Amino acid sequence: MSIDMELVADDMHEHMHDVEPHEAEPDEIHMPPPSIAPIILGFGAALFLLGIIFPPLLVVGLVVTVGGIWKMAHFPEVDLHPNWLTFLNDRKLGMWVFLASEVMFFSALVGAFIAFKIQEGFEEAHEVLNLPLATVGTTVLIVSSFAVVMGLEAIQSDDRRVFRNWMLVTLVLGLTFVSIQAIEWYELFDHGIDETTLFGTAFYVTTGFHGLHVLGGVGWLALLLLKARRGEYSAQNNLGVELFGLYWHFVDVVWIVLFTVIYLIH
Amino acid sequence: MDSTMLITIWLMTGALIGGVVTPVLAANKAVNGWLAMLGGTLVGMVGNVVLLVPVWLGLSRAPALDDRRPAWQRDAITLEGVRQGAAPTGVTAGEQMQTLAVMLRENFWPAARADREHSHRGTYVGVFVALAVITAIEVAISFWEGAPFNLAIPLSILSAAKVMLVVLFFMHLRYDSRWYSWIFAFSLPFAIIVLAVLAVAD
């Protein structure tokens, strides 16, 4: 027990290395000042989405979003009083509750798609769907999931260079996946499958929401990379990376289901 | 074989794959086959240039290999090089490959844990390979004409297996507190009800 206490004390000493002596009182807690960055980010994302109706807003929204990400990257990663009921981490618990709500959200979309498919068959749509391209996209997402776990493994052993490289790989793969989706949408639209057909509605809503999740993940990843550049993450502080990983893997899981339902099952 | 040769072969490979695969993908599409081949060739070549960027980044940052030549030889070559304004040469292809392997290992293989905690590197590679293999099997099955049973059954089972692999290993539910698993599983009844109601409703 006494050895453990010593280790803890050592750990605390390390963390307080760059703090002024009078601030290092153990019973004083210094919360960082409140930040407006998440609000800017949310406002930018909302503007970006409104760009679907009024295209010039796409540019404005993107600029505001990137600004919010930039400001958020300069906010320290804090994990004060992290545990609820002493054994569950608050941020991780929140992430899992969010993911559980996402399961319900996507099951409604997938359920609607399956219901329409049972009613209509969607046989003619299978002629125009590009299975090879979608297989490439699936592979890209799976590789990106692998890249995230390798990155997390690296930062957990304080291997920052390997961590950064895998995260960059993930960023490139995420953007590749979105591009592949864009090509697929363009091709389908070219074949006269638009929002007036039942298959078009079901397909665009389902894959569109998934694609938006991937885009959101790419934004989060950009934020993560900016923070990593500032040396925010280490073997002691990597929960932010783990939470991003949970989200990214979940998006991968959704695509695994969508790929089977939309492309493989006739 | 020097690095210029390797890079040329690399670019040609990209161009070849792009040129062959794109017309196949564009078959049945309202695109000229030759145009697709030309575009694919260009994209493949440029793609392989982009793929070289991490290699170049690694090489430019990797520590130089020890020069094992005797001092007098090394100095002579360096002096000669300085006099002629050229960099010293004499690195063999084998040494270049070795540098490449070292670079890949240093940049993409996570270090072992400092504390004696178990590292999951091997598990992750195994899960990744399993996911890739299952995907390949799924795509192959979907081409099976005249199967004696509904193909939706094996495809659903295989994709459920993939989902379980990702959730258990990549999302760490297997190693984490059971509570997270319960929270996640809590949503499943709702999901199943939604699926069932939508599929039955007319």
Side-chain angles (χ1 to χ4, degrees):
Chain A
M1 191 62 202
S2 64
I3 296 171
D4 278 354
M5 292 304 289
E6 259 181 55
L7 279 177
V8 171
D10 260 354
D11 222 31
M12 285 175 71
H13 183 73
E14 250 184 56
H15 283 294
M16 292 166 175
H17 205 259
D18 47 4
V19 182
E20 293 290 311
H22 69 273
E23 284 184 335
E25 296 291 324
D27 52 352
E28 268 186 69
I29 294 163
H30 290 270
M31 295 292 284
S35 169
I36 199 175
I39 298 173
I40 297 178
L41 183 56
F43 185 66
L47 280 182
F48 184 73
L49 285 182
L50 284 175
I52 296 171
I53 303 166
F54 184 59
L57 279 182
L58 279 176
V59 184
V60 183
L62 197 66
V63 170
V64 176
T65 308
V66 169
I69 288 177
W70 185 258
K71 202 166 160 56
M72 233 169 137
H74 289 70
F75 195 75
E77 184 104 8
V78 278
D79 223 2
L80 291 169
H81 299 310
N83 292 330
W84 181 67
L85 291 178
T86 70
F87 59 90
L88 289 180
N89 181 291
D90 277 356
R91 294 165 72 198
K92 210 169 175 180
L93 179 67
M95 193 66 211
W96 275 109
V97 171
F98 169 65
L99 290 184
S101 76
E102 290 274 86
V103 168
M104 300 184 216
F105 173 75
F106 274 107
S107 65
L109 292 179
V110 174
F113 191 92
I114 292 176
F116 290 148
K117 192 167 189 159
I118 290 171
Q119 285 169 25
E120 299 271 318
F122 290 162
E123 277 311 320
E124 75 290 346
H126 264 286
E127 306 297 318
V128 281
L129 281 177
N130 194 337
L131 180 60
L133 194 65
T135 309
V136 173
T138 309
T139 315
V140 162
L141 262 199
I142 290 177
V143 175
S144 78
S145 251
F146 174 67
V148 172
V149 279
M150 290 306 265
L152 178 63
E153 186 67 33
I155 196 64
Q156 281 174 346
S157 20
D158 232 358
D159 198 343
R160 297 184 191 200
R161 172 157 51 162
V162 173
F163 162 64
R164 187 209 47 203
N165 286 345
W166 277 118
M167 286 299 151
L168 279 172
V169 168
T170 311
L171 187 77
V172 172
L173 290 177
L175 289 173
T176 310
F177 179 81
V178 176
S179 319
I180 287 177
Q181 283 296 91
I183 294 171
E184 176 73 325
W185 278 37
Y186 183 80
E187 274 187 355
L188 282 181
F189 223 81
D190 221 34
H191 281 88
I193 293 179
D194 54 18
E195 73 279 5
T196 57
T197 64
L198 186 57
F199 175 77
T201 317
F203 178 84
Y204 291 128
V205 167
T206 320
T207 58
F209 269 113
H210 177 263
L212 275 180
H213 278 77
V214 178
L215 269 186
V218 167
W220 188 352
L221 184 51
L223 173 63
L224 203 110
L225 276 166
L226 283 173
K227 283 196 166 190
R229 224 177 114 87
R230 293 163 52 80
E232 194 86 47
Y233 299 112
S234 64
Q236 285 78 36
N237 182 9
N238 52 47
L239 190 66
V241 183
E242 193 177 341
L243 295 183
F244 166 74
L246 288 178
Y247 175 80
W248 193 261
H249 299 314
F250 177 77
V251 171
D252 186 21
V253 162
V254 170
W255 183 252
I256 288 173
V257 175
L258 286 182
F259 178 63
T260 311
V261 170
I262 297 178
Y263 287 90
L264 294 181
I265 296 179
H266 286 237
Chain B
M1 200 192 300
D2 62 350
S3 50
T4 323
M5 187 80 158
L6 279 173
I7 289 174
T8 314
I9 291 176
W10 175 248
L11 295 189
M12 300 269 283
T13 317
L16 194 70
I17 293 174
V20 172
V21 169
T22 317
V24 176
L25 289 182
N28 310 323
K29 302 275 178 318
V31 185
N32 185 319
W34 294 103
L35 211 60
M37 197 169 85
L38 185 69
T41 309
L42 282 174
V43 170
M45 205 156 72
V46 173
N48 273 19
V49 173
V50 174
L51 283 178
L52 275 179
V53 170
V55 179
W56 171 76
L57 276 176
L59 280 178
S60 61
R61 282 163 202 193
L65 285 182
D66 287 343
D67 197 337
R68 284 188 298 277
R69 283 167 298 177
W72 62 269
Q73 210 178 6
R74 187 169 61 227
D75 293 349
I77 287 173
T78 313
L79 280 177
E80 192 75 10
V82 169
R83 221 172 277 138
Q84 298 187 353
T89 52
V91 186
T92 66
E95 278 171 329
Q96 278 185 351
M97 292 314 287
Q98 198 189 344
T99 323
L100 193 72
V102 168
M103 184 280 295
L104 282 175
R105 195 181 172 81
E106 279 184 347
N107 280 287
F108 291 103
W109 189 243
R113 298 287 174 87
D115 42 16
R116 271 159 299 168
E117 208 183 328
H118 181 61
S119 164
H120 296 141
R121 293 172 295 183
T123 318
Y124 292 150
V125 175
V127 170
F128 168 63
V129 171
L131 288 172
V133 169
I134 295 178
T135 307
I137 293 174
E138 276 187 326
V139 175
I141 283 182
S142 75
F143 281 104
W144 188 1
E145 299 282 341
F149 45 85
N150 191 346
L151 281 180
I153 299 164
L155 286 173
S156 308
I157 294 173
L158 284 175
S159 66
K162 273 161 75 180
V163 168
M164 288 310 283
L165 280 176
V166 173
V167 172
L168 285 180
F169 292 97
F170 283 3
M171 292 165 97
H172 312 118
L173 275 190
R174 191 159 179 271
Y175 314 109
D176 247 340
S177 165
R178 282 272 169 272
W179 282 94
Y180 299 122
S181 307
W182 282 116
I183 292 162
F184 195 54
F186 187 69
S187 65
L188 291 182
F190 293 93
I192 290 167
I193 291 171
V194 168
L195 277 174
V197 168
L198 281 171
V200 172
D202 214 317

